[in-house]
Amino acid sequence: MTMKFNRAVALGAFVCLALAAVFAITLYGVDLSTLHAPGLIAASAAAGAGADLEGLARDLKAAADEVKKSAELTSTELKNLGKVTEDTKKAADEALIKHNELSARMTEIEQKMVRGPGGPERRKSIGEMVTDHDDFKHFVKSGGKGRVSIPVKAIISALTTDADGSAGDLIVPQRVPGVVAPPQRRMTIRNLITPGNTASNAIQYVKETGFTNNAATVSETAGTTKPQSEIKFDIVTAPVATIAHFVLATKQILDDVPMLQSYVDGRLRYGLAFVEEAQLLMGSGTGTNLNGIYTQASPYAAPVQIPAGVTKIDVIRLAMLQAFLAEYPPNGVVMNPVDWATIELLKDTTGRHIIGNPQNQAEARLWRLPVVETQAMTVDKFLTGAFDLGAQIFDREEANVEISTEDSDNFRKNLITLRAEERLALATYRPEAFVKGDFSDAITASTAP
């Protein structure tokens, strides 16, 4: 009893599905007659698909009638016999399969019509790309002998949006915040020199330029004339020099990127400090240039001769002695980082480093004095002396950055001028307090016969 009931339910469900299919197809057939009106058929004919579409419409209507007929026959057999014969089931299955095939073909043609001429075709799968390739077809015909390599384009790639299947602008690069600035030189020379300030455009100082010392013992009772000494003074003028530069920027970019102004401000100030370092050390003293300490320093002349085998370490010690003998004890040594590196790499006869320990981070010092490394000093040159007593910096205007639109035609162009400027003077009181020279020349002179 249960088996008969279940079978009846299954047959009923089949009939319902069949009738539903017939109902939908019948409606679809009505839509087809409406859809494929003369105007639409004419448009498809213009694209070369009108005849196929008309034929498919007739075949699809006939297939729908067959499905409807099978459904009615199924319903009758269930009512009269209580079951559906095998022939009826087979006929119903064939009618549905034929109808589905025709419907799929109809859908494909309609999609082509919607795309229109030149529209994008359905993208082939990777398998279709391989099997449709001429090299693969030739490979199959040859009996699968040899080897074939078939290029397959990516379905989605990171190409530009102009290319098919590209992700393009969907990929957003990761932005690191801030601005990666170039390396900056560590400024050192100013820290060696005594600081000062001025409110004038020049520094004048009285300098003793000659002294004849005739002091001697005299008799208290002879009434002889006391010896007379001679002192000569000269007035030396150190003009205040101006170091300046500027950049142009749009008003909009500074408004839209507030951090940019502070970055430019810092870079402009660094530019001033970079030039200042070179001027304090190597300024030529001509034109608007400062008269640098190295330019005025006394040339190296070894006060004493030492045995052969002179090194850069020995040269520095002799230069320090020369400054000591001028009554100005030196307080620092300036050289290029390359020269300091060659000094630190010097080894004794056992292969041990003479200066320090490679594993030790000791302060750079030589003969009790700090060593100042700067690229403002040329390779192979050195300078030592009493930086705190022999020279002084006078700041007239410390480094500052000003912003203005009142420059040329900035106002009309929405531009802003950022100007950085500083003013200072350098007074080198005693040039003999500094000793300069070249390592190579000093070593050659010390080892000459």
Side-chain angles (χ1 to χ4, degrees), residues 16 25 32 38 61 101 155-156 224 227 245 314 360 398 401 408 430:
C16 290
I25 294 167
L32 284 176
K61 182 65 171 62
E101 290 177 351
I155 301 301
I156 299 179
T224 57
H245 60 155
D314 302 320
N360 186 8
E398 295 185 356
V401 178
S408 185
R430 305 304 310 187

Side-chain angles (χ1 to χ4, degrees), residues 19 55 59 65 97 189 222 276 297 326 402 415:
L19 291 175
D59 293 343
D65 292 340
I97 291 172
I189 301 302
E276 177 192 273
E402 295 182 337
L415 295 177

Side-chain angles (χ1 to χ4, degrees), residues 92-220:
D93 290 340
E94 291 176 352
L96 286 172
I97 291 172
K98 184 177 180 180
H99 174 271
N100 291 339
E101 290 177 351
L102 293 172
S103 178
R105 290 175 59 189
M106 177 71 75
T107 301
E108 183 179 355
I109 292 178
E110 287 178 341
Q111 288 176 348
K112 288 183 178 180
M113 291 174 58
V114 171
R115 286 195 298 263
E121 295 293 332
R122 180 183 67 85
R123 183 173 294 277
K124 294 182 178 180
S125 67
I126 294 179
E128 290 173 330
M129 291 181 185
V130 174
T131 56
D132 291 347
H133 201 277
D134 292 338
D135 291 346
F136 179 79
K137 294 177 180 178
H138 178 73
F139 177 75
V140 173
K141 289 181 180 179
S142 65
K145 296 180 180 180
R147 181 178 178 182
V148 63
S149 177
I150 301 173
V152 179
K153 294 183 178 180
I155 301 301
I156 299 179
S157 68
L159 300 175
T160 62
T161 52
D162 292 335
D164 292 337
S166 62
D169 294 336
L170 292 176
I171 302 175
V172 180
Q174 179 179 344
R175 173 67 64 87
V176 177
V179 178
V180 180
Q184 295 189 3
R185 177 182 296 176
R186 182 172 61 94
M187 307 304 167
T188 55
I189 301 302
R190 173 181 273 269
N191 296 332
L192 294 174
I193 307 172
T194 302
N197 293 283
T198 182
S200 181
N201 65 344
I203 300 296
Q204 284 190 344
Y205 53 94
V206 178
K207 179 179 179 181
E208 179 185 325
T209 57
F211 175 45
T212 303
N213 184 12
N214 291 322
T217 60
V218 296
S219 173
E220 295 183 4

Side-chain angles (χ1 to χ4, degrees), residues 184-190 241-247 263-281 290 376 393 395 397-402 418-424:
Q184 295 189 3
R185 177 182 296 176
R186 182 172 61 94
M187 307 304 167
T188 55
I189 301 302
R190 173 181 273 269
T242 300
I243 304 174
H245 60 155
F246 74 91
V247 296
Y263 176 82
V264 173
D265 186 289
R267 293 297 291 165
L268 289 176
R269 291 176 185 272
Y270 170 75
L272 297 181
F274 187 92
V275 174
E276 177 192 273
E277 177 115 328
Q279 286 285 313
L280 292 174
L281 194 61
L290 293 175
I393 294 175
D395 286 311
E397 181 182 346
E398 295 185 356
N400 66 88
V401 178
E402 295 182 337
L418 294 91
R419 183 191 65 197
E421 182 174 289
E422 69 172 355
R423 301 178 67 196
L424 75 160

Side-chain angles (χ1 to χ4, degrees), residues 321-375:
L321 176 60
Q322 183 177 340
F324 267 112
L325 296 177
E327 303 295 347
Y328 284 93
N331 69 328
V333 181
V334 180
M335 66 179 70
N336 190 278
V338 173
D339 293 306
W340 177 242
T342 58
I343 290 176
E344 287 191 312
L345 292 173
L346 288 174
K347 298 177 182 179
D348 60 18
T349 55
T350 63
R352 293 178 298 183
H353 289 88
I354 298 174
I355 301 296
N357 186 333
Q359 295 180 336
N360 186 8
Q361 297 182 359
E363 180 185 359
R365 298 184 73 87
L366 196 61
W367 303 115
R368 305 179 303 278
L369 299 184
V371 175
V372 177
E373 306 171 68
T374 174
Q375 294 190 66

Side-chain angles (χ1 to χ4, degrees), residues 294-317:
Y294 187 92
T295 306
Q296 301 181 66
S298 301
Y300 169 80
V304 296
Q305 294 296 322
I306 60 175
V310 175
T311 66
K312 292 181 179 180
I313 299 176
D314 302 320
V315 172
I316 293 299
R317 185 64 185 89

